[in-house]
């Protein structure tokens, strides 16, 4: 199967067109995104990379409806995200998007299980029991479900966050440096769960990362520099990623 | 270090304002009290000084313990001529005062308990009556009336007024002027009619003067004249200078001012206590949140004591600023209160707003000290921050475990408090028991304060049950959040608890007092109407009234009470009231009436029997009108709770033999079964139509008046306690906004995961709602328990009434107040940008 085949088979889950984002005004204006055109394939695991300050987090926030864009448009599935009201955005995030952040992903007052079910609870939906069991077993948290986040290791906490993102079967999961705070072994675990979920559940994942090794778990890596998409690598290896980054930073 | 502190304060203006507001309100109340009382005090002093300037020497009654029992002391009238004859006296007038009842436009005497006074308006320099409209009376058929009575009763200059003299005879006068009552508290209680000196003599027929005022001739000093006058009056009166007279008057009024001051200050103290708790909590949170900042300071070389001092300094700055603001607020409050007092026309001499230096200092110092003391413990905790804490990424959750020590101290205070309370309850009814119970209450409160953090969790489960059930995820999260930091929640809610406890206590006590008074009236007055004579002791109801009523078919039972007008001396030198009852008293006082007295027999009230130490079968002697001691046999006792009456009740004929055929002082009537109340009332009113001093009231009216007055007291107290509650709400708002700040990232996470803005707001409001309910719940329980205990100390057979409606209202309102307090912090939290919040920390 060639790359073009994948494109033809599945429509993109997330599309950004001519996306720009300006922080501040006048002299103090920062052009974080200067016209990004990008599409993220359904059922694919895509990594976003780039030097610090290149606009990775900004892009992710704009795609996920966490932040407003200055111009351009974002589509998630059939929905035009840009232009939705706060309430509609909230519903969109609640029902169709999953999140994994670098840290402080969990509510300290809730147990691991309650944290996993939180988005569904907010929506008033019931978790599919089979899916719940499968996700919990996949991330290996069966015996930790009743623990509070403070009683879990950093890696376990991130796995809870992954489980939480998966349980609602969102259209897309956005992850901002999900392994940034983890040692390489825990990081590798979390990343392989993400990849497994893409393979087995056809989950769409968009992940921001600094780490070439982490990015190599993805099907595709897009590179940002100064708010522009500058490179796009499919089926990357750590070596290719590393070389591309070196080129960008020079 | 000072620079760091000040920079820190400037950086958090809102926090500073919220924190300060608690102190500002407390100090504002206290200094407002001072402004009010200082101003009134100044007004009094001014008026008294003006009065004293006119009088050089005054002769006042000589002290006489024994005679003072029988009525106000007087200066013998013949002294006036003697004083006039003293060398150096330019003028002297006798000043008297008697009750001469003004008749209102409804044909009834003005006043409900007491009638108006009658006073002479003297001529010349010694006149102290200030005419504000018209002129002073000159002829015998002219009179003046005090302003406020004229206003309330609708009399204007030029009208004719009717006044009863001391013998209850009607006299008509032309109203020629209105005068100011001034600062005389006695006169202001009832109002006064002023006559020329001669007319006053005719109307009042005084047997003596209250005071003789003397004016010195030019060149004669007050002290010289005083000595001369003193020599002239001898032991029959006491000669004092005008200066001393002023001081005496000021003393008398000072007591009342002190009473107001202490009463208000008590509420101010409660408010300051609550403010102290709020400050304590705020600084605790600030210290917790700035752990990293302080650890950093420690890393770069600050010593422990520097950290300690910087926090105390911060509290001192906050306290000082807040107190200054409070002082200004107090000036405004005091001025407003004075406006109100002036508008209502009460006899308080309120002039320009005054605030003395001592009061200013007291207000400022209170605010400063409370703030700094409240910050002491948090400051000490801050010194415990290790430099290494700067390096930790996450601020640790304030884990709380209930240590053994906490339980031990709670138990100690609880046992002590309960012991003291029980001791108070078992004491005989009275103030002693009440104060003991109050002491017990304070001890138990300390127990609650210590165990508070332990109580918070179960209580939040209890109170949060419904919200969690109704509001789903936001509700459940709110309940969890409310107990995340049990210590913080406990202090926040206890601040509210104080106000709610006191409010509950007051409503329970007043409901109980009301209930027992209702019950007593039920027992005491199984009658329909009570006729009473208004005025002094001499006021009576003509016998014809009872006699006429007996002939009316509407009334089955008519009972008249008579009483000797003066206290009667007994053989063991006590004073008792002696009376008789005419009519079928048995049918009214069913139980507790052992039987009518026979000839030369006496029935004593239980209290009197106890006081005199006599019992049925004993004999005692009473002094008759003619001055002879007569022997009577005690034939029984009666319960005054069940039937009002004189200390000693004689048979009608015996009473008449010893004290003459007096008129009635009270007549009670009971309708025949089936008589129409409106018709019956009309009959009574027609019988007493020509008798202005006789008033009729139904027992329901008496009850209503009493309940009204209790309700008024209740409202005033609740209003004053409202301040403490308001401050505790500021505390809730403050705690919540600091907690929200602490949980910025968490809120952002929830928003990212799909919690809507309204849901986030609801979540925070519910947290405050739960906190409010917890505070109210503890307060209501404490208030109920100690309200019950207080009621036990107040009466012999107390009736406890829980005032369930008030209590339900307190609980609901506390919850809602919590929601109100949460609105601002919740709004800010909901508005925050998700992306920025996620990045913060
Ligand atoms: N809220 C903001 N206000 C102003 N400028 C901002 C804001 N957020 C980001 N920026 C700027 O926008 C640019 C892109 O920031 P962004 O956080 O997207 O970078 P990034 O690629 O995620 O970097 P990093 O790898 O360090 O996380 C940066 O220059 C940053 O300074
Ligand atoms: Mg970033």
């Amino acid at each position: 199967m060639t790359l073009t085949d994948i494109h033809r088979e599945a429509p993109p889950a997330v599309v950004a067109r001519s996306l720009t984002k300006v922080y501040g005004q006048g002299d103090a204006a920062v052009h974080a995104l200067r016209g990004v055109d990008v599409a993220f394939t359904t059922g694919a695991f895509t990594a976003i990379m780039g030097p610090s300050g290149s606009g990775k987090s900004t892009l992710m926030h704009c795609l996920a409806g966490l932040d407003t864009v200055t111009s351009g448009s974002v589509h998630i599935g059939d929905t035009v995200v840009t232009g939705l009201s706060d309430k509609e955005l909230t519903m969109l995030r609640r029902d169709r998007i999953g999140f994994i952040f670098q840290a402080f992903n969990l509510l300290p007052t809730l147990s691991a299980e309650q944290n996993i079910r939180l988005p569904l609870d907010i929506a008033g939906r019931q978790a599919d029991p089979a899916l719940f069991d499968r996700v919990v077993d996949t991330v290996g948290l069966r015996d930790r479900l009743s623990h509070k986040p403070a009683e879990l290791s950093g890696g376990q906490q991130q796995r809870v966050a992954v489980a939480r993102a998966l349980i609602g079967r969102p259209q897309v999961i956005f992850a901002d440096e999900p392994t940034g705070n983890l040692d390489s072994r825990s990081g590798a675990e979390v990343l392989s769960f993400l990849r497994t979920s893409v393979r087995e559940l056809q989950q769409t994942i968009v992940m921001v990362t600094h780490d070439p090794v982490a990015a190599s778990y993805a099907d595709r890596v897009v590179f940002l520099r100064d708010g522009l998409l500058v490179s796009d690598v499919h089926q990357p290896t750590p070596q290719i990623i590393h070389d591309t980054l070196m080129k960008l930073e020079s | 270090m000072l620079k760091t502190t000040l920079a820190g304060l400037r950086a958090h203006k809102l926090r500073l304002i919220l924190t300060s507001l608690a102190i500002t309100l407390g100090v504002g109340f206290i200094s407002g009290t001072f402004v009010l009382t200082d101003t009134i005090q100044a007004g009094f002093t001014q008026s008294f000084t003006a009065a004293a300037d006119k009088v050089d020497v005054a002769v006042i009654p000589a002290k006489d313990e024994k005679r003072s029992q029988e009525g106000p002391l007087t200066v013998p009238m013949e002294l006036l001529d003697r004083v006039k004859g003293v060398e150096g006296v330019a003028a002297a007038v006798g000043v008297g005062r008697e009750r001469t009842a003004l008749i209102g436009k409804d044909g009834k005497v003005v006043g409900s308990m007491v009638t108006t006074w009658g006073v002479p308006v003297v001529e010349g320099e010694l006149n102290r009556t200030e005419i504000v409209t018209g002129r002073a009376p000159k002829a015998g058929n002219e009179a003046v009336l005090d302003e406020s009575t004229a206003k309330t009763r609708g009399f204007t200059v030029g009208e004719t007024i009717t006044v009863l003299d001391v013998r209850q005879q009607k006299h008509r006068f032309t109203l020629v002027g209105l005068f100011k009552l001034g600062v005389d508290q006695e006169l202001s209680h009832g109002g006064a009619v002023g006559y020329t000196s001669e007319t006053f003599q005719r109307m009042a027929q005084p047997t003596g003067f209250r005071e003789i005022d003397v004016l010195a001739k030019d060149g004669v000093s007050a002290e010289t004249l005083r000595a001369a006058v003193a020599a002239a009056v001898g032991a029959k009166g006491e000669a004092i200078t005008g200066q001393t007279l002023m001081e005496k008057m000021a003393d008398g009024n000072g007591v009342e001012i002190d009473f107001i001051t202490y009463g208000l200050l008590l509420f101010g103290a409660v408010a300051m206590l609550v403010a102290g708790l709020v400050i304590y909590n705020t600084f605790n949170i600030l210290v917790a949140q700035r752990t990293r900042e302080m650890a950093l300071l420690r890393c770069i070389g600050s010593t422990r004591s520097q950290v300690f001092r910087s926090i105390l300094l911060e509290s001192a700055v906050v306290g000082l600023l807040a107190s200054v603001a409070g002082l200004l607020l107090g000036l405004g409050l005091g001025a407003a209160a004075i406006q109100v007092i002036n508008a209502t026309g009460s006899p308080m001499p309120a002039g320009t707003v005054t605030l003395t230096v001592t009061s200013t200092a007291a207000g400022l110092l209170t605010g400063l000290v409370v703030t700094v003391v409240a910050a002491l413990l948090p400051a000490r905790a801050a010194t415990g921050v290790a430099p290494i804490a700067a390096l930790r990424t996450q601020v640790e959750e304030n884990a709380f475990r209930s240590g053994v020590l906490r339980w031990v101290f709670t138990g100690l205070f609880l046992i002590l408090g309960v012991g003291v309370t029980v001791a108070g309850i078992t004491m005989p009814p009275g103030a002693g028991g009440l104060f003991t119970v109050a002491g017990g209450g304070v001890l138990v409160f300390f127990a609650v304060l210590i165990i508070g953090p332990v109580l918070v969790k179960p209580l939040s489960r209890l109170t949060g049950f419904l919200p969690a059930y109704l509001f789903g995820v936001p509700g459940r999260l709110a309940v969890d959040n409310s107990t995340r930091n049990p210590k913080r929640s406990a202090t926040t809610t206890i601040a509210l608890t104080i106000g709610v406890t006191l409010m509950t206590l007051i409503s329970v006590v007043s409901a109980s007092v009301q209930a027992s008074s209702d019950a007593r009236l039920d027992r005491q007055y199984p009658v329909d109407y009570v006729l009473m004579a208004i005025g002094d002791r001499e006021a009576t109801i003509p016998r014809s009234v009872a006699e006429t009523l007996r002939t009316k078919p509407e009334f089955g039972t008519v009972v008249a009470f008579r009483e000797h007008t003066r206290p009667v001396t007994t053989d063991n030198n006590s004073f008792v009231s002696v009376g008789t009852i005419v009519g079928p008293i048995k049918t009214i006082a069913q139980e507790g009436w052992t039987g009518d007295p026979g000839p030369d027999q006496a029935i004593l009230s239980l209290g009197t029997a106890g006081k005199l130490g006599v019992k049925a079968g004993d004999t005692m002697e009473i002094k008759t009108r003619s001055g002879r001691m007569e022997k009577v046999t005690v034939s029984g006792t009666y319960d005054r709770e069940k039937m009002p009456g004189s200390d000693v009740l004689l048979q009608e004929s015996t009473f008449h033999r010893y004290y003459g055929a007096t008129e009635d002082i009270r007549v009670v009537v009971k309708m025949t079964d089936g008589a129409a109340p409106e018709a019956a009332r009309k009959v009574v009113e027609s019988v007493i139509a020509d008798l202005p001093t006789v008033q009729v009231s139904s027992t329901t009216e008496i009850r209503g008046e009493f309940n009204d007055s209790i309700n008024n007291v209740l409202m005033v107290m609740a209003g004053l306690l409202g301040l403490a509650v308001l401050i505790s709400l500021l505390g809730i708002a403050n705690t919540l906004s600091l907690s929200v700040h602490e949980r910025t990232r968490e809120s952002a996470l929830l928003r990212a995961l799909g919690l809507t803005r309204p849901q986030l707001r609801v979540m925070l409001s519910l947290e405050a709602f739960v906190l409010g309910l917890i505070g109210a719940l503890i307060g209501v329980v404490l208030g109920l328990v100690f309200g019950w205990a207080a009621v036990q100390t107040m009466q012999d057979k107390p009736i406890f009434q829980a005032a369930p409606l008030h209590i339900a209202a307190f609980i609901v309102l506390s919850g809602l107040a919590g929601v109100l307090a949460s609105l601002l912090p919740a709004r800010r939290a909901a508005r925050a940008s998700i992306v920025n919040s996620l990045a913060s920390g």
Side-chain angles (χ1 to χ4, degrees):
Chain A
M1 189 165 69
T2 66
L3 284 170
T4 39
D5 289 337
I6 295 175
H7 282 285
R8 207 173 299 131
E9 275 166 23
V14 183
V15 179
R17 292 214 189 92
S18 321
L19 209 56
T20 68
K21 173 76 185 175
V22 183
Y23 289 111
Q25 281 170 346
D27 288 347
V30 177
H31 294 263
L33 299 176
R34 301 165 182 271
V36 175
D37 282 289
V38 68
F40 297 95
T41 317
T42 302
F45 186 178
T46 311
I48 303 174
M49 295 199 76
S52 189
S54 57
K56 303 182 293 291
S57 297
T58 305
L59 176 62
M60 199 201 89
H61 292 150
C62 290
L63 294 176
L66 287 173
D67 209 346
T68 54
V69 304
T70 307
S71 73
S73 69
V74 174
H75 292 248
I76 291 184
D78 306 330
T79 313
V80 187
V81 175
T82 38
L84 290 185
S85 71
D86 179 73
K87 168 132 187 145
E88 289 163 327
L89 281 175
T90 307
M91 295 301 147
L92 178 82
R93 290 197 301 268
R94 191 183 79 184
D95 299 332
R96 292 165 60 189
I97 298 177
F99 285 100
I100 306 166
F101 299 105
Q102 180 173 357
F104 307 111
N105 256 306
L106 309 178
L107 286 197
T109 52
L110 300 183
S111 68
E113 174 166 0
Q114 286 170 323
N115 264 295
I116 294 173
R117 293 185 189 272
L118 184 59
L120 292 175
D121 278 349
I122 294 175
R125 282 194 286 153
Q126 283 295 314
D128 170 4
L131 180 67
F132 182 82
D133 285 338
R134 190 166 158 201
V135 166
V136 167
D137 289 334
T138 311
V139 296
L141 285 168
R142 179 63 63 192
D143 54 341
R144 288 278 184 277
L145 283 179
S146 60
H147 290 221
K148 292 274 167 73
E151 300 156 354
L152 298 174
S153 74
Q156 287 167 334
Q157 289 183 24
Q158 285 306 81
R159 281 191 269 156
V160 173
V162 171
R164 180 189 63 204
L166 290 171
I167 198 79
R169 300 291 336 248
Q171 238 170 324
V172 54
I173 292 177
F174 290 105
D176 194 352
E177 305 198 28
T179 57
N181 276 6
L182 301 181
D183 62 36
S184 53
R185 206 174 68 91
S186 317
E189 269 174 17
V190 168
L191 288 164
S192 52
F193 294 139
L194 289 178
R195 192 164 61 187
T196 313
S197 65
V198 174
R199 296 281 175 272
E200 295 184 0
L201 303 168
Q202 284 75 50
Q203 182 64 57
T204 310
I205 297 181
V206 177
M207 172 178 79
V208 171
T209 183
H210 268 125
D211 177 8
V213 179
S216 69
Y217 281 79
D219 302 314
R220 170 192 175 205
V221 183
V222 295
F223 292 89
L224 279 180
R225 195 177 66 184
D226 295 336
L228 281 172
L229 201 66
V230 290
S231 189
D232 194 339
V233 177
H234 291 267
Q235 308 301 346
T237 63
Q239 190 55 49
I240 300 174
I241 296 169
H242 186 78
D243 293 347
T244 316
L245 272 180
M246 291 318 268
K247 238 183 9 220
L248 287 180
E249 274 166 18
S250 63
Chain B
M1 213 64 198
L2 177 64
K3 265 193 207 140
T4 337
T5 305
L6 293 181
L9 279 175
R10 267 200 303 274
H12 305 283
K13 281 200 204 75
L14 187 78
R15 189 172 71 199
L16 180 71
I17 290 170
L18 268 178
T19 313
S20 312
L21 216 52
I23 288 295
T24 301
L25 285 178
V27 172
F29 186 83
I30 289 182
S31 43
T33 304
F34 283 137
V35 169
L36 183 65
T37 50
D38 280 354
T39 305
I40 293 175
Q41 195 71 65
F44 272 129
T45 313
Q46 208 181 352
S47 319
F48 291 140
T49 315
D53 279 349
K54 292 188 173 166
V55 179
D56 292 312
V57 172
V59 180
I60 58 172
K63 289 192 184 68
D64 187 337
E65 285 290 318
K66 204 152 173 207
R67 268 191 15 198
S68 68
Q69 289 267 1
E70 293 176 35
L73 290 171
T74 52
V75 180
M77 300 191 76
E78 71 268 18
L79 280 192
L80 181 59
D81 283 335
R82 239 195 265 176
V83 170
K84 277 182 177 163
V86 171
E87 179 71 34
V89 170
V93 291
V95 184
R97 143 178 329 178
E98 297 291 335
R99 296 277 181 191
T100 62
L102 172 70
I103 295 177
K105 296 197 161 167
D106 57 353
K108 290 288 170 189
V109 158
V110 167
S112 58
M113 295 299 282
V114 289
T115 60
T116 51
W117 289 100
V119 291
V121 178
V122 299
E123 283 170 31
E125 283 188 62
L126 284 169
N127 174 31
R128 299 203 319 235
T129 314
E130 192 187 333
I131 304 284
V132 285
T133 317
R135 59 174 174 81
K138 288 201 184 97
N141 63 349
E142 292 176 347
V144 289
L145 183 59
D146 78 87
E147 269 184 306
S148 91
T149 306
K151 197 168 148 198
T152 52
R153 294 292 166 163
F155 286 112
T156 49
V157 173
E159 278 184 281
T160 303
I161 56 170
T162 309
V163 187
L164 298 177
D165 68 15
V166 285
R167 307 206 172 234
Q168 312 298 321
Q169 299 306 308
K170 287 183 188 174
H171 297 265
R172 292 158 71 80
F173 296 92
T174 307
L175 195 58
V176 294
L178 302 181
F179 69 98
K180 232 192 171 109
L181 276 176
V183 294
D184 194 317
Q185 296 295 306
E186 195 183 35
L187 277 194
S188 65
H189 193 223
V193 181
Y195 317 92
T196 62
S197 294
E198 296 74 42
T199 316
F200 173 73
Q201 289 297 326
R202 193 155 49 80
M203 292 290 292
Q205 303 185 345
T207 51
F209 297 121
R210 285 296 184 86
E211 188 184 305
I212 295 174
D213 292 342
V214 184
L215 189 69
K217 278 192 178 130
D218 284 348
V220 180
S221 86
E223 185 46 46
T224 322
L225 188 64
R226 190 203 66 80
V229 171
V233 298
K236 288 188 169 161
E238 190 187 346
I240 55 174
T241 59
Q243 183 63 32
T244 317
L245 180 68
M246 177 206 112
E247 280 159 17
K248 270 186 191 274
M249 290 202 286
D251 274 356
N253 284 300
V255 174
E256 272 186 41
I257 293 288
D258 284 351
F259 192 70
I260 298 174
T261 313
Y262 291 134
L264 286 177
L265 283 184
L266 204 63
F267 287 98
V270 171
M272 282 314 279
L273 175 68
V274 175
L277 275 174
V278 169
I279 298 290
Y280 164 78
N281 214 22
T282 308
F283 273 90
N284 247 341
I285 302 172
L286 293 187
V287 166
Q289 288 183 352
R290 283 190 298 180
T291 304
R292 220 173 321 160
E293 185 185 317
M294 270 166 327
L296 201 65
L297 284 173
R298 296 271 284 121
C299 274
I300 59 172
S302 299
T303 62
R304 274 174 200 278
S305 68
Q306 273 176 321
V307 169
F308 184 74
R309 278 203 306 264
S310 87
I311 298 204
L312 280 199
L313 186 66
E314 176 168 347
S315 72
V317 172
V318 170
L320 201 65
L321 288 180
S323 302
V324 171
L327 211 59
L328 295 177
L329 179 72
L331 271 174
L333 281 179
I338 288 163
Q339 285 294 321
V340 170
I341 287 177
N342 284 342
T344 53
S346 18
M348 294 279 183
T352 46
V353 174
T354 317
L355 184 61
T356 61
V357 178
T358 16
S359 302
T360 312
L364 284 182
L365 216 63
T366 315
L368 190 62
V369 167
V370 167
T371 318
V372 174
V373 166
L376 269 179
L377 272 179
R380 215 182 67 97
T383 62
V385 172
I388 188 76
L391 309 173
R392 293 193 196 124
T393 42
Q394 198 173 1
V395 182
E396 284 155 80
E397 281 281 307
N398 196 338
F400 168 78
R401 257 174 279 125
S402 53
V404 177
L405 219 57
R406 190 175 287 274
W407 285 104
V408 168
F409 273 106
T410 306
L412 225 63
F413 273 107
L414 198 65
I415 290 169
L416 222 66
V418 170
V420 171
T421 309
V422 169
I425 293 173
T426 48
M427 280 187 193
L434 191 61
F435 284 126
T436 314
V437 165
V442 171
L443 289 172
V444 171
F445 179 77
F446 277 124
V448 173
L449 194 66
I450 299 171
I451 205 67
V454 180
L455 294 179
V456 161
K457 202 147 214 157
L459 282 178
S460 87
R461 291 262 165 70
L462 184 71
T463 54
F465 173 76
L466 206 62
Y469 180 76
L470 286 179
F471 289 91
V473 175
R476 286 210 310 274
L477 291 176
V479 176
D480 284 346
N481 284 338
S482 68
T483 57
R484 252 168 108 158
N485 192 325
K487 268 191 195 166
R488 186 186 297 179
S489 308
T491 323
T492 309
T493 53
I494 293 270
L496 180 62
T497 297
I498 295 177
V500 176
T501 303
L502 293 176
M503 285 214 186
T504 309
L505 190 103
I506 290 173
S507 21
V508 165
V509 167
S510 62
S512 301
V513 168
Q514 228 159 45
S516 24
S517 88
D518 279 355
R520 194 167 54 236
L521 288 177
D522 280 343
R523 270 179 280 142
Q524 189 182 59
Y525 283 118
V527 295
D528 297 305
Y529 295 105
V530 179
L531 279 70
M532 300 230 270
I534 312 157
D536 57 12
R537 293 192 240 206
E538 258 104 319
T540 53
I541 307 171
R543 291 173 170 208
S544 60
V545 171
E547 277 151 22
T548 316
L549 286 173
R550 284 199 183 98
T551 65
K552 305 284 180 190
E554 283 85 358
F555 303 109
T557 311
V558 178
V559 177
F561 293 76
R562 289 174 200 159
E563 193 170 84
H564 187 51
T565 50
R566 303 246 167 248
V568 168
T569 319
T570 66
D571 48 351
N572 60 3
N573 264 331
S574 295
F575 290 95
V576 292
S577 59
V578 178
T580 187
I581 299 177
V582 184
I585 185 66
K586 258 195 166 142
T587 60
I588 296 179
Q590 299 104 333
E591 32 172 323
W593 183 250
T594 45
D596 295 346
D600 284 321
Q601 287 187 340
I603 295 208
L604 272 54
S605 79
L606 287 172
T608 313
K611 191 176 84 175
L612 299 179
V614 295
K615 55 184 190 307
D618 292 353
T619 57
M620 60 180 286
E621 285 179 6
I622 48 176
K623 198 180 209 168
T624 65
R625 192 166 53 145
S626 58
R628 283 228 312 277
M629 297 300 284
E630 292 286 352
K631 192 175 280 181
V632 289
T633 310
V634 179
S635 69
T637 53
Y638 77 99
D639 189 351
R640 223 195 299 235
E641 288 257 299
K642 298 193 172 124
M643 187 194 77
S646 311
D647 294 336
V648 175
L649 288 171
L650 303 175
Q651 195 196 33
E652 187 184 351
S653 59
T654 312
F655 179 79
H656 287 180
R657 198 164 71 240
Y658 293 157
Y659 300 102
T662 63
E663 307 278 15
D664 299 334
I665 56 160
R666 182 169 59 242
V667 175
V668 298
V669 293
K670 207 173 165 177
M671 291 188 296
T672 40
D673 291 340
E678 302 84 38
R681 172 141 201 157
K682 285 230 170 64
V683 172
V684 178
E685 278 172 357
S686 72
V687 170
I688 59 167
D690 297 335
L691 301 165
T693 56
V694 179
Q695 273 189 349
V696 59
S697 45
S698 69
T699 39
T700 23
E701 284 167 1
I702 293 176
R703 203 172 289 197
E705 268 167 37
F706 185 69
N707 288 353
D708 279 353
S709 63
I710 289 188
N711 283 336
N712 285 344
V713 171
L714 184 67
M715 284 205 338
V716 169
M717 296 248 222
L720 293 173
L721 283 175
L723 181 76
V725 173
L726 184 68
I727 293 177
S728 59
L729 291 184
L730 280 178
I732 293 187
N734 211 2
T735 306
L736 204 66
S737 71
L738 288 165
S739 299
V740 163
H741 177 75
E742 226 171 44
R743 305 198 295 249
T744 304
R745 198 150 33 180
E746 231 175 279
S747 303
L749 177 68
L750 279 167
R751 292 272 292 121
L753 292 181
L755 205 71
T756 61
R757 266 188 190 144
Q759 279 179 314
L760 186 68
R761 273 204 297 264
V762 163
M763 182 181 102
L764 295 170
S765 293
L766 285 179
E767 182 177 345
F769 181 74
V770 168
L771 286 180
L773 282 190
I774 295 176
L777 223 58
I778 303 179
V780 161
V781 170
L782 282 179
L784 274 176
V785 169
F786 285 93
W788 176 84
V791 168
Q792 304 309 306
T793 67
M794 291 165 83
Q795 289 146 6
D796 247 339
K797 293 183 215 85
I799 295 177
F800 175 71
Q801 183 81 40
L805 275 180
H806 283 170
I807 287 172
F810 291 154
I811 296 178
V812 172
L813 287 179
S814 300
L816 293 183
V819 172
L820 191 74
S822 77
L823 289 182
L824 221 72
R827 216 168 93 107
R828 277 208 306 172
R831 280 199 172 172
S833 133
I834 302 175
V835 174
N836 289 346
S837 304
L838 278 174
S840 75

